[in-house]
Amino acid sequence: MSSLGEHAPQNAMDDPGEIARFYDRCSDLMRELLEALAHAPDRPRPFPQIEDEIGWPHRRIASVLGGVSHLRHTEFGGRRPYHFHDQHQAESARWEMWMDAAQARTVREARRG
């Protein structure tokens, strides 16, 4: 997956230790979202599709991301263990998110740990 067209690619985490620490520090709902993204690495999907796969009501991802915003900015400099396409860059014309293979592997390992 190329970062071409990615929204704020400089904010995507690539350090496994930082990703594991984020996973450990975030809410249960955010961990559930990270685990869902880790099941389909390198596959950008629109929020409603991810929510349907998790069994969440639509718009919950936006709420979960809003809830983790303070943590992201105070402890991680705004970085995040996933990638985004905004609606102008995404094939679906909606916000899409995904994890790359390395991020997904780190989340799966953190879950087992």
Side-chain angles (χ1 to χ4, degrees):
M1 175 68 50
S2 166
S3 66
L4 184 65
E6 181 178 341
H7 176 77
Q10 72 278 5
N11 288 342
M13 293 176 178
D14 58 9
D15 177 78
E18 185 177 41
I19 294 166
R21 191 165 58 87
F22 185 96
Y23 181 88
D24 183 58
R25 296 279 298 128
C26 69
S27 70
D28 290 342
L29 287 172
M30 187 67 209
R31 276 192 288 279
E32 189 175 354
L33 174 58
L34 295 175
E35 291 164 9
L37 295 174
H39 285 296
D42 296 318
R43 197 180 82 175
R45 294 172 286 162
F47 289 12
Q49 181 181 347
I50 298 166
E51 290 160 335
D52 289 346
E53 291 170 4
I54 296 172
W56 285 0
H58 287 188
R59 293 181 283 291
R60 179 165 287 169
I61 287 177
S63 176
V64 170
L65 295 177
V68 79
S69 178
H70 181 76
L71 175 72
R72 279 187 50 233
H73 288 92
T74 59
E75 293 190 34
F76 297 96
R79 291 179 305 282
R80 50 184 157 67
Y82 46 86
H83 302 267
F84 278 125
H85 283 149
D86 71 26
Q87 70 272 19
H88 303 293
Q89 301 157 324
E91 196 172 301
S92 67
R94 301 188 75 156
W95 277 86
E96 295 177 342
M97 63 189 310
W98 75 97
M99 280 187 170
D100 62 45
Q103 290 168 327
R105 185 172 39 260
T106 300
V107 165
R108 287 191 301 268
E109 289 169 1
R111 183 172 186 234
R112 285 189 291 256

